[in-house]
Amino acid sequence: MAAEPIHAGGRARGLWLAAACLSLATAVHAAGPQDPAALQAHAERFLKTQTGGLPGKVTIQVKPPRTTLSACSALDAFQPAGSRSIGKTTVGVRCLAPAPWTVYLPAQVRVIGRYAVTRQPLAANHVLTAADIVLREGDLGSLPADVITDADTMLGYRAVSGLAAGAPLRSALLRPPLAVQQGQATRLVLNGPGFSVQSEGQALANAGRGDRVRVKTRSGQVISGVAHDGQQVVVAF
């Protein structure tokens, strides 16, 4: 007679386990896979935020994932280190809950805007004027990241090397205006622990802001410092 209660208890546990498994299967089925369109939309919104301050018309295309992912209730988009915000790029999307995963989506961000090009060939060390620059419209994402979009900020800069006509102006190809000119009277600022002394000298070379330059002092000594605007050279001790 004692065996029947055990049998009834075992049958109850079996029914409970079956119900639990059915409930789990139903929940998994209800969750289903992650909607690829939702992933694309999330990545596109992220890129719109990243490119919100750029000049020009922005269009964004994000490709769907190649794999099936479990449904996610908390998505977080990011860009891998070294990725550009425009041009051909990559957007990472990670799931924070309920089950973590990460996927990388290829994207194309086109920014149609104006950028500066040379109007005519320029020689090395040529000082840029408004007559040297013309604006052209195109996809900034297909150009180098340092292409100049505000030509007025580059007036007075010098060409590092010769440039052909129609060449996009890039910050890497230009040097700041001369802060110190060779042969001109130069103010020396000598800085050290607890002191700052000013003197005069003569620059032995041209130098842009932040360049190192040698200066001959009144006593004939030659010292090296960093060029600053206004024919000033700072020497740190």
Side-chain angles (χ1 to χ4, degrees):
M1 295 297 294
E4 185 161 339
I6 296 176
H7 176 72
R11 183 171 58 185
R13 284 194 299 271
L15 290 173
W16 181 85
L17 287 173
C21 290
L22 179 60
S23 176
L24 179 61
T26 301
V28 171
H29 177 73
Q34 173 64 44
D35 181 11
L39 276 181
Q40 288 175 277
H42 191 81
E44 287 174 3
R45 286 194 296 270
F46 171 78
L47 287 174
K48 284 181 181 179
T49 301
Q50 296 294 102
T51 57
L54 295 178
K57 181 181 178 181
V58 179
T59 58
I60 299 171
Q61 292 179 321
V62 178
K63 293 185 178 180
R66 295 182 178 181
T67 58
T68 301
L69 301 162
S70 59
C72 183
S73 59
L75 295 172
D76 177 48
F78 64 96
Q79 278 199 288
S83 297
R84 291 183 64 186
S85 296
I86 63 176
K88 289 185 177 180
T89 187
T90 299
V91 181
V93 180
R94 61 170 67 95
C95 178
L96 303 179
W101 48 253
T102 301
V103 67
Y104 295 92
L105 306 178
Q108 177 79 40
V109 181
R110 293 181 174 87
V111 181
I112 305 302
R114 299 204 296 175
Y115 61 98
V117 302
T118 54
R119 189 186 298 272
Q120 64 269 332
L122 301 180
N125 291 317
H126 177 83
V127 178
L128 285 177
T129 67
D132 298 319
I133 303 172
V134 63
L135 294 178
R136 182 176 294 173
E137 189 171 78
D139 182 7
L140 302 182
S142 65
L143 296 168
D146 62 342
V147 68
I148 304 301
T149 57
D150 187 353
D152 290 342
T153 61
M154 294 294 109
L155 298 181
Y157 277 57
R158 295 171 292 133
V160 174
S161 59
L163 298 173
L169 284 176
R170 300 168 47 198
S171 58
L173 303 178
L174 302 172
R175 287 179 180 169
L178 290 177
V180 171
Q181 295 186 22
Q182 181 178 1
Q184 297 295 313
T186 303
R187 182 172 60 173
L188 277 170
V189 180
L190 312 177
N191 291 331
F195 74 89
S196 180
V197 178
Q198 294 191 18
S199 181
E200 289 188 3
Q202 186 180 57
L204 298 181
N206 292 328
R209 186 188 312 122
D211 293 340
R212 294 200 67 83
V213 62
R214 295 191 306 159
V215 178
K216 186 176 182 179
T217 66
R218 286 179 172 179
S219 64
Q221 182 183 6
V222 176
I223 58 178
S224 177
V226 177
H228 288 249
D229 290 334
Q231 201 70 21
Q232 178 177 280
V233 175
V234 176
V235 181
F237 290 94

